[in-house]
């Protein structure tokens, strides 16, 4: 069962995802997608690692900045009965997208490979049979970026969030620390 958790920056989405994992499962694998590219990000990563360590919940952390689909495929292939009670938490999808964006040099090389990678990831999420929570930023709710590359990233993040949310049984939007189950509130055309 895949669960998608989205929200703006500092909305409480990661905290909610971690709490959800801790309340429902006995242990977890934390897939961290961020890379420590500067001092500020290094400090953030260190704080997140310390918070997980002190939470009392047994997290195993995997650093996966690019090969997220491959990582899920490997975990799926374990076929371990323990995985039924072990949640995988991916934090976060938009950082993974950013890593892919720059590794592929999307501005120069276009989006074909990026779209292929996002489709492959969506397929792996759909195939993943064990508990999975995916955190992503909702970047389209803010101001329109000034430059073309930033607008392209915002658009790709929106497309990615839509694609992944379709694969998930539950989708939560977290705003001001308050989670809302969007699929419970989802409009259905047949209700017209």
């Amino acid at each position: 069962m895949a669960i998608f958790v989205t929200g703006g920056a500092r909305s409480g989405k990661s905290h909610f995802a971690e709490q959800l994992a801790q309340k429902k499962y006995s242990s977890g694998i934390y897939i961290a997608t961020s890379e420590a590219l500067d001092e500020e990000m290094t400090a953030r990563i260190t704080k997140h690692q310390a918070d997980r360590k002190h939470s009392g919940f047994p997290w195993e952390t995997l650093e996966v900045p690019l090969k997220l689909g491959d990582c899920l495929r490997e975990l799926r292939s374990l076929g371990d009965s323990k995985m039924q009670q072990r949640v995988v938490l991916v934090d976060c999808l938009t950082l993974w997208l950013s890593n892919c964006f720059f590794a592929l040099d999307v501005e120069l090389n276009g989006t074909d490979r990026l779209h292929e990678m996002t489709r492959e990831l969506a397929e792996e999420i759909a195939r993943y049979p064990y508990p999975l929570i995916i955190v992503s930023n909702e970047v389209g709710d803010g101001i329109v970026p000034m430059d073309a590359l930033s607008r392209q990233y915002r658009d790709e993040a929106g497309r990615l969030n839509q694609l992944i949310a379709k694969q998930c049984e539950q989708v939560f939007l977290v705003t001001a620390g308050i989670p809302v189950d969007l699929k419970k509130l989802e409009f259905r055309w047949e209700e017209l």
Side-chain angles (χ1 to χ4, degrees), residues 1-3 25 83-89 128-133:
M1 174 173 143
I3 299 171
Y25 304 101
M83 291 301 288
Q84 294 292 344
Q85 294 302 314
R86 195 168 197 206
V87 65
V88 169
L89 194 157
Y128 195 79
Y130 307 117
L132 176 63
I133 300 173

Side-chain angles (χ1 to χ4, degrees), residues 30-38 40-49 52 61-66 68 90-99 137:
Y30 198 102
I31 299 179
T33 62
S34 64
E35 294 183 282
L37 300 175
D38 57 38
E40 188 269 341
M41 188 55 95
T42 301
R44 280 180 186 246
I45 291 169
T46 301
K47 182 184 180 324
H48 281 281
Q49 290 169 339
R52 284 194 303 275
T61 301
L62 302 176
E63 305 285 340
V64 185
L66 287 170
L68 188 51
V90 176
D91 195 1
C92 94
L93 204 54
T94 44
L95 282 174
W96 171 81
L97 179 67
S98 179
N99 296 339
N137 287 289

Side-chain angles (χ1 to χ4, degrees), residues 101-148:
F101 218 76
F102 292 107
L104 297 171
D105 201 355
V106 168
E107 188 173 27
L108 288 176
N109 300 315
T111 57
D112 289 346
R113 178 64 184 126
L114 182 68
H115 291 164
E116 184 181 326
M117 289 174 73
T118 57
R119 279 191 305 275
E120 289 169 0
L121 177 61
E123 289 169 7
E124 283 305 320
I125 289 168
R127 287 185 197 113
Y128 195 79
Y130 307 117
L132 176 63
I133 300 173
I134 304 157
V135 177
S136 189
N137 287 289
E138 191 58 51
V139 298
D141 285 346
I143 3 175
V144 176
M146 294 288 288
D147 64 274

Side-chain angles (χ1 to χ4, degrees), residues 1 8 13 28-29 33 43 47 49 65-66 77 102 112 118 122 142-143 161 164-166 177-179 183 191-192:
M1 174 173 143
K13 62 191 174 298
I29 298 172
T33 62
K47 182 184 180 324
Q49 290 169 339
L66 287 170
S77 72
F102 292 107
D112 289 346
T118 57
I143 3 175
N161 283 352
I164 302 306
K166 285 179 187 175
I178 301 169
K183 288 220 174 176
E191 294 173 359
L192 279 180

Side-chain angles (χ1 to χ4, degrees), residues 22 25-30 52 55-60 86-87:
Q22 292 171 16
Y25 304 101
S26 58
S27 64
I29 298 172
Y30 198 102
R52 284 194 303 275
S55 72
F57 187 75
W59 287 111
E60 174 188 347
R86 195 168 197 206
V87 65

